[in-house]
Amino acid sequence: MTQITIQLKDKEEETFVETFLKKMKIRFEKNEDIDLELTDEMKRVIDERLKEDKSTAVDASESLRKIRSKYGL
């Protein structure tokens, strides 16, 4: 059996995908169990970021642009 993970942005998109899969008679299983546990390193980084000066903050889009530029993604 093959597993595919799909990350949906909202309930509307989720409903659309479910309806599509049902109409195509493709069996699927929803796994809503998010088993996320932060490591000590993750917590440390988050704590450091929360202490930073908010006036110098960069939004997510800009951060991703910089990462793509630096690492060629």
Side-chain angles (χ1 to χ4, degrees), residues 18-67:
E18 282 183 26
T19 303
F20 175 77
L21 293 173
K22 286 176 184 175
K23 287 186 185 241
M24 296 294 294
K25 297 183 178 169
I26 298 172
R27 202 179 90 216
F28 67 94
E29 181 180 314
K30 286 174 44 174
N31 183 358
E32 297 181 19
D33 296 334
I34 300 175
D35 189 22
L36 177 64
E37 208 172 297
L38 297 176
T39 65
D40 289 338
E41 176 68 10
M42 292 169 147
K43 291 175 186 176
R44 185 188 62 74
V45 170
I46 291 169
D47 289 340
E48 286 177 12
R49 295 288 298 177
L50 289 171
K51 292 176 188 174
E52 290 182 3
D53 181 6
K54 306 234 183 316
S55 67
T56 61
V58 177
D59 68 21
S61 298
E62 180 65 15
S63 292
L64 288 173
R65 188 191 65 71
K66 288 180 178 182
I67 291 168

Side-chain angles (χ1 to χ4, degrees), residues 7-11 13-14:
Q7 295 178 340
L8 304 168
K9 65 181 178 186
D10 56 31
K11 188 67 176 169
E13 197 172 87
E14 179 181 339

